[in-house]
Amino acid sequence: MEIINEDIVIVGAGLAGLATSLALHRLGIRSIVLESSDSLRTTGFALALWTNAWRALDALGVGDSLRQRSLHFTRFQAFSADSGLPTAEISLEADDKPIDYDSRCIKRQEIVETLEKELPPGTIKYSSRVTSIEESGLYKLVHLADKTVLRTKVLIGSDGVNSVVAKWMGLPKPVDANRSAIRGYVEYPKSHGFEPKFCAYFGSGVRIGFLPCDDKSLYWFCTFTPSAVDYDENIEGSPIKMKQFVLSLARNVSKEAYNILDRTSLDSLYCAKLKLRTPWNILMKDNIVKNNTCLVGDALHPMTPDIGQGGCSALEDSVVLARCISEAIFAKSLQEGDQLCKSIKVGLEKYAKERRWRIFSLISTSYLVGLAQESNGKVISYLREKFLAQFTIETMLKMGDFDCGKLCQK
């Protein structure tokens, strides 16, 4: 059996995996990324990226390029899904905020392709499905479906909610949030005419929102509690029924939202049950880092989308992890073999310590904000329309005003 030696192996060429590899590359550290598919995965429609994400993208050196392909949001407007009346409005301008405050929605394809182009040729190994992982002293042996075996000092799992690496580390599976989401993307032949703002409708067991990516495209989402809206799970395999269902929810909410959803083509719809990592699992160090193996992105912290921090926090992970690995590698000159592995272990433990409470607060806050925005009880509906709508939006913005730092701390 031939064994190929690699210093750092990243499993999964999604947002977190590509960003982590690029962060390491910027610091002069080589890695390879294993991707099970035969090409770059550009599925998924768009991501709302808040200030923390743009700070991370700036640290990676791609922020300005991506800003040129997106619109800066000027405000966030919230409405009641019951009455259609406005319940909150917050400016997203930087007047009374940090100078680098930013919030935009951008196509997922734009992000992953930009990250991929910045990587050295050959970094991503396509058609490389991981079948098993085993210990070999201080190293890991990563077995692939094609019988290739990689021996690595550092193994990073960025392989999503159903992570093979997380399973090998012994993490409990993500739990069902008892909610679902249907998302869509609409392209207009000419300008769509909507202001660069985030609009959302909360209540009656649903959250419906839409936001422009650029002058011709819009991203929208509809999250809901199935038990509150008489949802039939059998529709998930039928785009026609999915569209009919989401239109039935929007019909009584907003004519504007209804028209946007109605324009959505059937191949631009996606439905998924929402899952999350229970927050207390994150507080245990071995669930983030274990024997020079660690997790980033959805492999580590799947969360509900209610504060829009899934992709943003994955970008934070990449910057912090690369910085911690770099500091460990270059802390002492001429480290090799077992000594280097032990030094990297200290760096990974620093990453776990730095990320633990941030991730805990993101998962917890997102879940609670979703409950407040979506619940349909009389008391919570009253409180939401009076002050909770404003409070939850302010909470979203506060969680997004975070700085993961530069790649190289000075």
Side-chain angles (χ1 to χ4, degrees):
M1 176 179 65
E2 182 184 4
I3 297 178
I4 301 172
N5 290 303
E6 293 287 354
D7 286 340
I8 300 177
V9 172
I10 300 170
V11 181
L15 178 65
L18 294 173
T20 301
S21 184
L22 178 57
L24 290 167
H25 172 61
R26 298 293 196 217
L27 292 167
I29 301 171
R30 181 181 183 275
S31 65
I32 65 164
V33 183
L34 304 178
E35 172 54 45
S36 59
S37 64
D38 59 6
S39 60
L40 190 65
R41 288 182 290 115
T42 57
T43 54
F45 301 120
L47 292 171
L49 297 181
W50 302 97
T51 303
N52 56 323
W54 289 105
R55 286 171 177 158
L57 289 168
D58 285 336
L60 294 173
V62 296
D64 287 342
S65 170
L66 290 170
R67 284 187 182 91
Q68 294 175 12
R69 288 170 270 177
S70 58
L71 298 176
H72 168 70
F73 297 144
T74 58
R75 54 192 171 130
F76 192 132
Q77 285 185 308
F79 301 84
S80 167
D82 299 303
S83 65
L85 297 175
T87 55
E89 181 170 343
I90 293 180
S91 170
L92 297 179
E93 298 286 9
D95 297 341
D96 56 348
K97 300 178 180 67
I99 193 169
D100 61 346
Y101 188 88
D102 207 349
S103 53
R104 300 164 184 265
C105 183
I106 189 166
K107 300 173 187 176
R108 185 182 181 279
Q109 181 177 351
E110 298 269 16
I111 304 174
V112 295
E113 287 181 349
T114 296
L115 295 172
E116 186 267 343
K117 288 175 182 176
E118 294 292 316
L119 291 171
T123 298
I124 306 173
K125 310 298 181 183
Y126 293 107
S127 301
S128 298
R129 181 172 64 86
V130 175
T131 56
S132 64
I133 303 165
E134 62 177 306
E135 298 267 12
S136 178
L138 295 175
Y139 299 81
K140 304 293 174 291
L141 296 180
V142 182
H143 295 258
L144 306 183
D146 64 2
K147 308 303 180 183
T148 300
V149 180
L150 302 174
R151 182 174 180 262
T152 184
K153 298 182 180 74
V154 183
L155 178 62
I156 301 171
S158 60
D159 45 341
V161 176
N162 299 310
S163 170
V164 173
V165 180
K167 182 179 180 180
W168 180 79
M169 289 175 63
L171 265 74
K173 291 182 178 180
V175 299
D176 192 340
N178 296 315
R179 295 167 57 209
S180 295
I182 297 177
R183 301 176 175 96
Y185 183 78
V186 185
E187 288 196 0
Y188 290 71
K190 298 181 180 179
S191 175
H192 49 60
F194 289 97
E195 294 180 51
K197 63 181 180 180
F198 192 133
C199 286
Y201 297 79
F202 305 141
S204 297
V206 301
R207 293 170 66 252
I208 295 176
F210 60 90
L211 46 167
C213 296
D214 51 39
D215 291 329
K216 293 184 178 181
S217 61
L218 289 166
Y219 167 68
W220 61 263
F221 62 85
C222 174
T223 66
F224 54 93
T225 305
S227 59
V229 293
D230 193 26
Y231 177 65
D232 180 4
E233 291 186 0
N234 293 324
I235 75 170
E236 292 177 14
S238 171
I240 293 176
K241 291 181 178 179
M242 276 196 290
K243 184 172 181 178
Q244 290 173 342
F245 170 75
V246 77
L247 285 175
S248 71
L249 296 180
R251 182 174 290 110
N252 298 322
V253 171
S254 159
K255 183 178 179 181
E256 188 175 52
Y258 181 91
N259 290 337
I260 292 171
L261 273 56
D262 190 38
R263 290 185 66 103
T264 307
S265 61
L266 296 180
D267 60 354
S268 295
L269 291 169
Y270 176 74
C271 181
K273 293 181 179 179
L274 300 180
K275 296 182 181 294
L276 70 151
R277 180 84 66 200
T278 49
W280 46 89
N281 281 328
I282 296 297
L283 297 183
M284 292 183 282
K285 181 192 71 177
D286 285 351
N287 284 348
I288 301 178
V289 171
K290 184 177 181 180
N291 298 333
N292 282 25
T293 301
C294 68
L295 301 170
V296 292
D298 282 347
L300 174 59
H301 47 69
M303 64 185 75
T304 59
D306 306 291
I307 58 173
Q309 281 295 325
C312 299
S313 55
L315 292 168
E316 291 180 16
D317 293 341
S318 68
V319 173
V320 176
L321 177 57
R323 182 172 64 234
C324 290
I325 291 176
S326 174
E327 290 172 353
I329 290 176
F330 298 119
K332 298 177 181 179
S333 61
L334 301 177
Q335 294 186 102
E336 295 181 358
D338 291 357
Q339 182 186 8
L340 179 57
C341 287
K342 291 175 181 177
S343 181
I344 290 174
K345 181 181 178 182
V346 174
L348 295 183
E349 289 173 350
K350 181 181 178 181
Y351 162 73
K353 183 178 180 180
E354 188 170 339
R355 295 301 292 161
R356 186 181 303 138
W357 285 104
R358 169 66 174 165
I359 294 168
F360 177 89
S361 64
L362 287 172
I363 295 174
S364 305
T365 302
S366 188
Y367 183 76
L368 294 174
V369 165
L371 286 180
Q373 291 179 343
E374 197 167 296
S375 297
N376 61 349
K378 291 184 178 179
V379 174
I380 195 71
S381 295
Y382 174 80
L383 293 174
R384 180 174 53 242
E385 296 202 11
K386 294 302 179 181
F387 75 91
L388 275 181
Q390 185 83 12
F391 175 76
T392 56
I393 295 174
E394 289 174 351
T395 300
M396 291 172 64
L397 301 182
K398 181 179 179 181
M399 297 303 290
D401 187 12
F402 178 86
D403 192 349
C404 62
K406 307 299 182 183
L407 280 175
C408 184
Q409 295 282 54
K410 295 182 179 180

